[in-house]
Short mmCIF file of all heavy atoms in Angstrom, two decimals:
data_model
loop_
_atom_site.label_atom_id
_atom_site.label_comp_id
_atom_site.label_asym_id
_atom_site.label_seq_id
_atom_site.Cartn_x
_atom_site.Cartn_y
_atom_site.Cartn_z
N THR A 248 5.64 8.99 8.74
CA THR A 248 4.29 8.87 8.20
C THR A 248 4.20 7.69 7.25
O THR A 248 3.23 6.91 7.27
CB THR A 248 3.89 10.16 7.47
OG1 THR A 248 3.88 11.24 8.40
CG2 THR A 248 2.51 10.03 6.84
N TYR A 249 5.21 7.52 6.41
CA TYR A 249 5.24 6.39 5.47
C TYR A 249 5.40 5.08 6.21
O TYR A 249 4.80 4.06 5.85
CB TYR A 249 6.37 6.58 4.46
CG TYR A 249 6.11 7.70 3.50
CD1 TYR A 249 6.55 8.99 3.76
CD2 TYR A 249 5.40 7.48 2.32
CE1 TYR A 249 6.31 10.03 2.89
CE2 TYR A 249 5.14 8.52 1.42
CZ TYR A 249 5.60 9.79 1.72
OH TYR A 249 5.34 10.82 0.86
N GLU A 250 6.21 5.09 7.27
CA GLU A 250 6.39 3.88 8.07
C GLU A 250 5.05 3.45 8.69
O GLU A 250 4.68 2.27 8.64
CB GLU A 250 7.43 4.12 9.17
CG GLU A 250 8.83 4.41 8.68
CD GLU A 250 9.61 3.15 8.35
OE1 GLU A 250 9.05 2.04 8.49
OE2 GLU A 250 10.78 3.28 7.94
N VAL A 251 4.35 4.40 9.28
CA VAL A 251 3.08 4.09 9.93
C VAL A 251 2.07 3.57 8.91
O VAL A 251 1.35 2.59 9.16
CB VAL A 251 2.52 5.33 10.66
CG1 VAL A 251 1.09 5.09 11.13
CG2 VAL A 251 3.42 5.68 11.85
N TYR A 252 2.01 4.20 7.75
CA TYR A 252 1.09 3.75 6.71
C TYR A 252 1.44 2.32 6.28
O TYR A 252 0.55 1.46 6.11
CB TYR A 252 1.15 4.69 5.52
CG TYR A 252 0.30 4.24 4.35
CD1 TYR A 252 -1.05 3.92 4.51
CD2 TYR A 252 0.84 4.15 3.07
CE1 TYR A 252 -1.83 3.52 3.44
CE2 TYR A 252 0.06 3.74 2.00
CZ TYR A 252 -1.27 3.42 2.18
OH TYR A 252 -2.03 3.01 1.12
N PHE A 253 2.73 2.03 6.12
CA PHE A 253 3.14 0.68 5.74
C PHE A 253 2.76 -0.33 6.82
O PHE A 253 2.27 -1.42 6.52
CB PHE A 253 4.65 0.65 5.49
CG PHE A 253 5.20 -0.74 5.34
CD1 PHE A 253 4.77 -1.57 4.31
CD2 PHE A 253 6.15 -1.23 6.23
CE1 PHE A 253 5.27 -2.86 4.18
CE2 PHE A 253 6.66 -2.51 6.11
CZ PHE A 253 6.21 -3.33 5.07
N TYR A 254 2.96 0.03 8.09
CA TYR A 254 2.61 -0.89 9.17
C TYR A 254 1.11 -1.19 9.17
O TYR A 254 0.70 -2.34 9.38
CB TYR A 254 3.01 -0.31 10.53
CG TYR A 254 4.49 -0.08 10.70
CD1 TYR A 254 4.96 0.91 11.57
CD2 TYR A 254 5.42 -0.84 10.00
CE1 TYR A 254 6.32 1.13 11.73
CE2 TYR A 254 6.78 -0.62 10.16
CZ TYR A 254 7.22 0.36 11.03
OH TYR A 254 8.56 0.58 11.19
N LEU A 255 0.30 -0.17 8.97
CA LEU A 255 -1.15 -0.39 8.94
C LEU A 255 -1.53 -1.33 7.80
O LEU A 255 -2.36 -2.24 7.96
CB LEU A 255 -1.88 0.95 8.79
CG LEU A 255 -1.82 1.90 9.99
CD1 LEU A 255 -2.40 3.26 9.62
CD2 LEU A 255 -2.56 1.31 11.19
N ALA A 256 -0.91 -1.11 6.64
CA ALA A 256 -1.21 -1.97 5.49
C ALA A 256 -0.70 -3.39 5.73
O ALA A 256 -1.39 -4.37 5.40
CB ALA A 256 -0.57 -1.38 4.23
N PHE A 257 0.48 -3.52 6.33
CA PHE A 257 1.05 -4.84 6.57
C PHE A 257 0.19 -5.62 7.57
O PHE A 257 0.01 -6.85 7.42
CB PHE A 257 2.48 -4.71 7.10
CG PHE A 257 3.25 -6.00 7.11
CD1 PHE A 257 3.95 -6.41 5.99
CD2 PHE A 257 3.28 -6.81 8.24
CE1 PHE A 257 4.66 -7.60 5.99
CE2 PHE A 257 3.98 -8.00 8.25
CZ PHE A 257 4.68 -8.39 7.12
N ALA A 258 -0.34 -4.94 8.55
CA ALA A 258 -1.19 -5.62 9.54
C ALA A 258 -2.41 -6.26 8.88
O ALA A 258 -2.89 -7.31 9.33
CB ALA A 258 -1.63 -4.63 10.62
N LEU A 259 -2.90 -5.66 7.81
CA LEU A 259 -4.09 -6.17 7.14
C LEU A 259 -3.84 -7.48 6.39
O LEU A 259 -4.80 -8.21 6.07
CB LEU A 259 -4.64 -5.12 6.17
CG LEU A 259 -5.17 -3.83 6.80
CD1 LEU A 259 -5.59 -2.85 5.72
CD2 LEU A 259 -6.33 -4.14 7.74
N ILE A 260 -2.58 -7.80 6.10
CA ILE A 260 -2.31 -9.02 5.34
C ILE A 260 -1.96 -10.20 6.25
O ILE A 260 -1.86 -11.34 5.79
CB ILE A 260 -1.19 -8.83 4.29
CG1 ILE A 260 0.17 -8.64 4.98
CG2 ILE A 260 -1.52 -7.67 3.37
CD1 ILE A 260 1.34 -8.65 4.01
N LEU A 261 -1.78 -9.97 7.54
CA LEU A 261 -1.38 -11.05 8.43
C LEU A 261 -2.43 -12.16 8.59
O LEU A 261 -2.06 -13.31 8.86
CB LEU A 261 -1.00 -10.48 9.81
CG LEU A 261 0.32 -9.72 9.84
CD1 LEU A 261 0.54 -9.07 11.21
CD2 LEU A 261 1.50 -10.62 9.49
N PRO A 262 -3.71 -11.89 8.42
CA PRO A 262 -4.67 -13.01 8.49
C PRO A 262 -4.56 -14.00 7.34
O PRO A 262 -5.15 -15.07 7.38
CB PRO A 262 -6.04 -12.30 8.46
CG PRO A 262 -5.76 -10.91 8.96
CD PRO A 262 -4.40 -10.59 8.43
N PHE A 263 -3.81 -13.65 6.29
CA PHE A 263 -3.71 -14.51 5.12
C PHE A 263 -2.41 -15.33 5.14
O PHE A 263 -1.52 -15.09 5.96
CB PHE A 263 -3.76 -13.66 3.84
CG PHE A 263 -4.99 -12.81 3.73
CD1 PHE A 263 -4.96 -11.48 4.14
CD2 PHE A 263 -6.17 -13.34 3.24
CE1 PHE A 263 -6.09 -10.68 4.04
CE2 PHE A 263 -7.31 -12.56 3.14
CZ PHE A 263 -7.28 -11.24 3.54
N ALA A 264 -2.29 -16.28 4.23
CA ALA A 264 -1.04 -16.99 4.05
C ALA A 264 0.02 -15.99 3.60
O ALA A 264 -0.29 -15.01 2.91
CB ALA A 264 -1.20 -18.09 3.01
N MET A 265 1.28 -16.22 3.99
CA MET A 265 2.32 -15.24 3.73
C MET A 265 2.43 -14.87 2.25
O MET A 265 2.41 -13.67 1.90
CB MET A 265 3.68 -15.74 4.22
CG MET A 265 4.82 -14.80 3.84
SD MET A 265 6.46 -15.42 4.24
CE MET A 265 6.62 -14.87 5.93
N MET A 266 2.55 -15.85 1.37
CA MET A 266 2.72 -15.54 -0.05
C MET A 266 1.55 -14.75 -0.59
O MET A 266 1.72 -13.75 -1.31
CB MET A 266 2.93 -16.83 -0.84
CG MET A 266 3.13 -16.61 -2.34
SD MET A 266 4.52 -15.51 -2.73
CE MET A 266 5.89 -16.56 -2.26
N ARG A 267 0.35 -15.16 -0.24
CA ARG A 267 -0.84 -14.44 -0.72
C ARG A 267 -0.83 -13.01 -0.18
O ARG A 267 -1.15 -12.05 -0.91
CB ARG A 267 -2.10 -15.16 -0.29
CG ARG A 267 -3.39 -14.49 -0.75
CD ARG A 267 -4.60 -15.32 -0.37
NE ARG A 267 -4.61 -16.60 -1.06
CZ ARG A 267 -5.57 -17.50 -0.93
NH1 ARG A 267 -6.60 -17.26 -0.12
NH2 ARG A 267 -5.51 -18.64 -1.60
N GLY A 268 -0.47 -12.84 1.07
CA GLY A 268 -0.45 -11.50 1.66
C GLY A 268 0.59 -10.61 1.03
O GLY A 268 0.31 -9.44 0.72
N LEU A 269 1.79 -11.14 0.83
CA LEU A 269 2.86 -10.32 0.25
C LEU A 269 2.55 -9.93 -1.19
O LEU A 269 2.79 -8.79 -1.60
CB LEU A 269 4.19 -11.08 0.32
CG LEU A 269 4.76 -11.35 1.71
CD1 LEU A 269 6.11 -12.05 1.61
CD2 LEU A 269 4.89 -10.06 2.52
N VAL A 270 2.02 -10.88 -1.96
CA VAL A 270 1.64 -10.57 -3.33
C VAL A 270 0.53 -9.53 -3.35
O VAL A 270 0.57 -8.56 -4.12
CB VAL A 270 1.21 -11.85 -4.08
CG1 VAL A 270 0.59 -11.49 -5.44
CG2 VAL A 270 2.40 -12.77 -4.28
N GLY A 271 -0.46 -9.69 -2.48
CA GLY A 271 -1.57 -8.75 -2.44
C GLY A 271 -1.13 -7.35 -2.07
O GLY A 271 -1.54 -6.38 -2.73
N LEU A 272 -0.31 -7.23 -1.04
CA LEU A 272 0.15 -5.91 -0.62
C LEU A 272 1.06 -5.29 -1.68
O LEU A 272 0.98 -4.08 -1.93
CB LEU A 272 0.87 -6.00 0.72
CG LEU A 272 1.33 -4.68 1.34
CD1 LEU A 272 0.16 -3.70 1.47
CD2 LEU A 272 1.98 -4.91 2.70
N SER A 273 1.90 -6.10 -2.29
CA SER A 273 2.77 -5.59 -3.35
C SER A 273 1.96 -5.03 -4.51
O SER A 273 2.23 -3.93 -5.01
CB SER A 273 3.70 -6.70 -3.86
OG SER A 273 4.54 -7.18 -2.83
N CYS A 274 0.94 -5.79 -4.93
CA CYS A 274 0.09 -5.32 -6.02
C CYS A 274 -0.66 -4.05 -5.64
O CYS A 274 -0.79 -3.13 -6.46
CB CYS A 274 -0.91 -6.42 -6.40
SG CYS A 274 -0.15 -7.86 -7.20
N PHE A 275 -1.11 -3.99 -4.41
CA PHE A 275 -1.83 -2.80 -3.95
C PHE A 275 -0.94 -1.56 -4.02
O PHE A 275 -1.36 -0.50 -4.52
CB PHE A 275 -2.33 -3.01 -2.52
CG PHE A 275 -2.96 -1.79 -1.91
CD1 PHE A 275 -4.21 -1.36 -2.33
CD2 PHE A 275 -2.30 -1.07 -0.93
CE1 PHE A 275 -4.79 -0.21 -1.77
CE2 PHE A 275 -2.87 0.07 -0.37
CZ PHE A 275 -4.12 0.50 -0.79
N PHE A 276 0.29 -1.68 -3.56
CA PHE A 276 1.20 -0.54 -3.59
C PHE A 276 1.59 -0.17 -5.02
O PHE A 276 1.69 1.01 -5.36
CB PHE A 276 2.46 -0.84 -2.77
CG PHE A 276 2.29 -0.64 -1.28
CD1 PHE A 276 3.17 -1.23 -0.39
CD2 PHE A 276 1.26 0.12 -0.77
CE1 PHE A 276 3.03 -1.05 0.98
CE2 PHE A 276 1.10 0.30 0.60
CZ PHE A 276 1.99 -0.29 1.48
N VAL A 277 1.81 -1.17 -5.87
CA VAL A 277 2.16 -0.88 -7.26
C VAL A 277 1.01 -0.15 -7.96
O VAL A 277 1.23 0.83 -8.68
CB VAL A 277 2.51 -2.19 -8.01
CG1 VAL A 277 2.60 -1.93 -9.53
CG2 VAL A 277 3.84 -2.75 -7.51
N VAL A 278 -0.20 -0.62 -7.74
CA VAL A 278 -1.37 0.05 -8.32
C VAL A 278 -1.51 1.46 -7.77
O VAL A 278 -1.83 2.41 -8.51
CB VAL A 278 -2.65 -0.77 -8.07
CG1 VAL A 278 -3.90 0.01 -8.48
CG2 VAL A 278 -2.59 -2.09 -8.83
N SER A 279 -1.27 1.62 -6.48
CA SER A 279 -1.36 2.95 -5.87
C SER A 279 -0.37 3.92 -6.52
O SER A 279 -0.72 5.06 -6.85
CB SER A 279 -1.07 2.86 -4.36
OG SER A 279 -2.04 2.10 -3.69
N VAL A 280 0.86 3.46 -6.71
CA VAL A 280 1.87 4.30 -7.33
C VAL A 280 1.48 4.64 -8.77
O VAL A 280 1.62 5.79 -9.22
CB VAL A 280 3.24 3.60 -7.30
CG1 VAL A 280 4.26 4.35 -8.16
CG2 VAL A 280 3.74 3.49 -5.86
N ALA A 281 0.95 3.66 -9.49
CA ALA A 281 0.52 3.91 -10.87
C ALA A 281 -0.59 4.95 -10.91
O ALA A 281 -0.60 5.85 -11.77
CB ALA A 281 0.04 2.60 -11.51
N LEU A 282 -1.53 4.87 -9.98
CA LEU A 282 -2.61 5.87 -9.91
C LEU A 282 -2.05 7.25 -9.64
O LEU A 282 -2.56 8.26 -10.14
CB LEU A 282 -3.61 5.48 -8.83
CG LEU A 282 -4.55 4.32 -9.15
CD1 LEU A 282 -5.40 3.97 -7.93
CD2 LEU A 282 -5.46 4.68 -10.33
N GLY A 283 -0.97 7.30 -8.84
CA GLY A 283 -0.35 8.58 -8.55
C GLY A 283 0.21 9.25 -9.78
O GLY A 283 0.26 10.49 -9.86
N PHE A 284 0.62 8.45 -10.76
CA PHE A 284 1.12 9.02 -12.02
C PHE A 284 -0.04 9.43 -12.94
O PHE A 284 0.09 10.38 -13.72
CB PHE A 284 2.00 8.01 -12.76
CG PHE A 284 3.38 7.88 -12.20
CD1 PHE A 284 3.75 6.78 -11.44
CD2 PHE A 284 4.32 8.88 -12.42
CE1 PHE A 284 5.03 6.67 -10.92
CE2 PHE A 284 5.61 8.78 -11.91
CZ PHE A 284 5.96 7.67 -11.16
N LEU A 285 -1.15 8.71 -12.84
CA LEU A 285 -2.27 8.96 -13.75
C LEU A 285 -3.19 10.08 -13.30
O LEU A 285 -3.78 10.78 -14.12
CB LEU A 285 -3.08 7.66 -13.90
CG LEU A 285 -2.35 6.48 -14.56
CD1 LEU A 285 -3.23 5.24 -14.51
CD2 LEU A 285 -1.98 6.81 -16.00
N ILE A 286 -3.30 10.22 -11.96
CA ILE A 286 -4.25 11.20 -11.42
C ILE A 286 -3.47 12.23 -10.59
O ILE A 286 -2.66 11.86 -9.74
CB ILE A 286 -5.31 10.52 -10.53
CG1 ILE A 286 -6.01 9.42 -11.32
CG2 ILE A 286 -6.33 11.53 -10.00
CD1 ILE A 286 -6.95 8.56 -10.48
N PRO A 287 -3.69 13.53 -10.82
CA PRO A 287 -2.93 14.57 -10.13
C PRO A 287 -3.38 14.79 -8.68
O PRO A 287 -4.11 15.73 -8.37
CB PRO A 287 -3.18 15.82 -10.98
CG PRO A 287 -4.54 15.60 -11.58
CD PRO A 287 -4.62 14.11 -11.82
N PHE A 288 -2.99 13.88 -7.77
CA PHE A 288 -3.29 14.07 -6.36
C PHE A 288 -2.35 15.12 -5.77
O PHE A 288 -1.15 15.05 -5.98
CB PHE A 288 -3.12 12.76 -5.59
CG PHE A 288 -4.05 11.67 -6.05
CD1 PHE A 288 -3.56 10.58 -6.75
CD2 PHE A 288 -5.40 11.73 -5.77
CE1 PHE A 288 -4.41 9.56 -7.17
CE2 PHE A 288 -6.26 10.73 -6.19
CZ PHE A 288 -5.77 9.64 -6.89
N GLU A 289 -2.90 16.06 -5.01
CA GLU A 289 -2.05 17.15 -4.55
C GLU A 289 -2.08 17.38 -3.04
O GLU A 289 -1.26 18.14 -2.54
CB GLU A 289 -2.46 18.46 -5.26
CG GLU A 289 -2.21 18.41 -6.77
CD GLU A 289 -2.54 19.72 -7.46
OE1 GLU A 289 -3.04 20.63 -6.76
OE2 GLU A 289 -2.30 19.84 -8.67
N ASN A 290 -2.99 16.77 -2.30
CA ASN A 290 -2.97 17.00 -0.85
C ASN A 290 -2.01 16.03 -0.17
O ASN A 290 -1.55 15.05 -0.77
CB ASN A 290 -4.38 16.92 -0.26
CG ASN A 290 -4.97 15.52 -0.34
OD1 ASN A 290 -4.42 14.58 0.22
ND2 ASN A 290 -6.08 15.38 -1.06
N ALA A 291 -1.71 16.30 1.08
CA ALA A 291 -0.66 15.56 1.79
C ALA A 291 -1.00 14.08 1.94
O ALA A 291 -0.13 13.22 1.82
CB ALA A 291 -0.42 16.19 3.16
N THR A 292 -2.25 13.78 2.20
CA THR A 292 -2.64 12.38 2.41
C THR A 292 -2.49 11.57 1.14
O THR A 292 -1.88 10.49 1.14
CB THR A 292 -4.09 12.29 2.91
OG1 THR A 292 -4.20 13.00 4.16
CG2 THR A 292 -4.50 10.85 3.12
N THR A 293 -3.02 12.06 0.05
CA THR A 293 -2.90 11.32 -1.20
C THR A 293 -1.46 11.28 -1.69
O THR A 293 -1.05 10.31 -2.33
CB THR A 293 -3.81 11.93 -2.28
OG1 THR A 293 -3.53 13.33 -2.41
CG2 THR A 293 -5.27 11.74 -1.91
#
């Protein structure tokens, strides 16, 4: 499930330049993880 989610996210950055895409996706995941600590998400998707 995590692999598939990563692939979907990675596909979204391919239209951009590599550095911009990698930085953007990295920031998105870091922010997502931070939100997970701040907000009590409890269902499987979140």
